[in-house]
């Protein structure tokens, strides 16, 4: 919102937006990220070829989410029930076959060890309404499954925190080989489409449970245009 009051010399909202407005770096084919692999594969694909600035509303929401994560990390570090509490622990997973090679780069939000020696990977997510969280989101489960493959641990913990009141819900996630293979297959699919410049299917648009997310997709226009072009080609043939 702009500062319309002539008696006020600063516009705090504008200053916040300037502060948050960081330059996003172009992505490189062959470098992938666990936090994105659960999203619509077509959306991920577009993000490698089309750079769009993140909307200021989304940047403000991310900033609040980061504050919640920082708070959780601080509380874990100060907890006397834990012997180790590391935040932002980097992980790397390499993949190579006859046709391709890529690297997955991620950061575990929090890695902790309890006094009785249990090692736990924590992935923290902030939410606007915790009452709507009834179980782990499949996207987040994919992310933590990768971390569990890269970093030895007894189990993972998905922690959801309400941004309004810090109410917490947590879900234990065990390492699951099948889930890990499923996630790696998604990376291979993404890599294949990117290297061959083949637009992947409009995954979320054709999924009744996920189509609502298309409304917030930065590549909505491009995706709808591609669907319309594909339809007119089909009608023509
Ligand atoms: S509009 Fe929907 S289907 Fe298309 S890229 Fe975005 S999320 Fe995927």
């Amino acid at each position: 919102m702009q500062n319309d009051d002539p008696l006020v010399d600063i516009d705090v909202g504008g200053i916040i937006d300037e502060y948050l407005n960081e330059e996003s770096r172009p992505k490189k084919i062959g470098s992938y990220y666990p936090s994105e692999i659960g999203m619509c594969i077509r959306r991920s694909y577009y993000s490698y070829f089309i750079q769009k600035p993140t909307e200021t509303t989304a940047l403000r929401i991310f900033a609040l989410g980061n504050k919640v994560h920082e708070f959780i990390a601080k509380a874990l570090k100060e907890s006397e029930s834990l012997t180790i509490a590391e935040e932002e622990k980097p992980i790397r997973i390499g993949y190579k076959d006859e046709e391709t090679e890529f690297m997955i780069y991620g950061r575990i939000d929090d890695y902790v060890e309890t006094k009785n020696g249990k090692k736990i990977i924590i992935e923290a997510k902030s939410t606007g309404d915790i009452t709507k969280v009834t179980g782990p989101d499949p996207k987040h489960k994919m992310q933590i499954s990768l971390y569990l493959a890269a970093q030895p641990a007894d189990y993972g913990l998905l922690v959801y925190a309400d941004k309004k009141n810090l109410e917490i819900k947590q879900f234990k996630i065990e390492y699951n080989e099948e889930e890990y293979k499923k996630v790696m297959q998604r990376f291979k699919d993404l890599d294949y489409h990117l290297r061959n410049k083949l637009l992947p299917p409009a995954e979320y648009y054709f999924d009744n449970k996920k189509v609502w997310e298309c409304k917030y997709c930065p590549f909505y226009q491009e995706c709808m245009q591609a669907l319309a072009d594909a339809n007119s080609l089909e009608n023509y043939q």
Side-chain angles (χ1 to χ4, degrees):
M1 194 192 285
Q2 279 183 314
N3 171 30
D4 296 326
D5 184 343
L7 297 176
V8 175
D9 296 295
I10 59 164
D11 166 17
V12 176
I15 290 172
I16 289 172
D17 289 339
E18 263 171 35
Y19 174 73
L20 293 173
N21 213 349
E22 52 181 54
E23 290 255 313
S24 62
R25 273 178 294 161
K27 290 176 167 177
K28 216 172 98 220
I29 295 174
S31 298
Y32 305 126
Y33 307 95
S35 55
E36 291 181 353
I37 201 57
M39 69 168 59
C40 171
I41 191 166
R42 182 177 280 198
R43 177 175 171 167
S44 298
Y45 173 90
Y46 278 133
S47 70
Y48 279 77
F49 295 116
I50 308 169
Q51 262 200 291
K52 293 206 174 183
T54 313
E55 284 182 8
T56 49
T57 316
L59 288 173
R60 288 180 183 211
I61 293 170
F62 294 152
L64 266 182
N66 286 340
K67 283 287 147 209
V68 172
H69 289 188
E70 279 168 24
F71 177 82
I72 292 172
K74 193 161 185 281
L76 292 169
K77 274 192 185 143
E78 292 191 7
S79 167
E80 289 185 359
S81 62
L82 301 172
T83 52
I84 293 178
E86 283 178 53
E87 66 176 305
E88 301 272 309
K89 193 174 172 64
I91 59 125
R92 288 170 69 150
I93 301 175
Y95 177 82
K96 192 174 179 183
D97 64 21
E98 307 79 51
E99 279 145 32
T100 192
E101 186 173 355
F102 58 79
M103 191 64 86
I104 300 163
Y105 299 95
R107 274 178 193 278
I108 294 170
D109 279 343
D110 302 283
Y111 171 80
V112 301
E113 281 187 36
T114 62
K115 275 188 175 159
N116 57 1
K118 290 279 183 211
K119 300 176 175 68
I120 306 165
I121 287 172
I122 297 178
E123 181 59 29
K125 301 288 177 195
S126 48
T127 171
D129 184 358
I130 198 91
T131 60
K132 295 201 175 125
V133 177
T134 52
D137 183 315
K139 281 201 282 286
H140 305 149
K141 241 175 125 176
M142 283 189 198
Q143 195 177 345
I144 209 163
S145 296
L146 270 178
Y147 296 157
L148 284 165
Q151 170 68 42
D154 289 282
Y155 58 89
L157 204 58
L158 261 174
V159 175
Y160 292 91
D162 195 310
K163 276 182 274 202
K164 297 189 299 296
N165 53 15
L166 279 182
E167 191 181 329
I168 300 285
K169 279 189 185 167
Q170 59 180 42
F171 302 95
K172 185 177 182 180
I173 311 287
E174 307 268 5
Y175 176 68
N176 177 319
E177 181 80 21
E178 283 311 305
E179 180 77 9
Y180 174 67
K181 283 188 188 156
K182 207 169 84 185
V183 180
M184 286 308 285
Q185 188 56 51
R186 283 183 71 83
F187 279 113
K188 285 189 241 172
D189 289 347
L190 175 65
D191 181 73
Y192 173 81
H193 284 89
L194 286 169
R195 289 191 195 275
N196 293 288
K197 293 205 166 47
L198 284 172
L199 188 64
E203 206 177 13
Y204 277 22
Y205 188 72
F206 294 108
D207 183 331
N208 285 341
K209 287 196 190 132
K210 295 178 180 164
V211 63
W212 65 270
E213 292 199 36
C214 292
K215 206 165 54 177
Y216 304 102
C217 173
F219 309 107
Y220 183 81
Q221 301 289 347
E222 290 83 354
C223 180
M224 293 305 117
Q225 188 58 54
L227 285 173
D229 293 347
N231 274 340
S232 58
L233 195 64
E234 256 177 42
N235 292 338
Y236 181 73
Q237 281 169 344

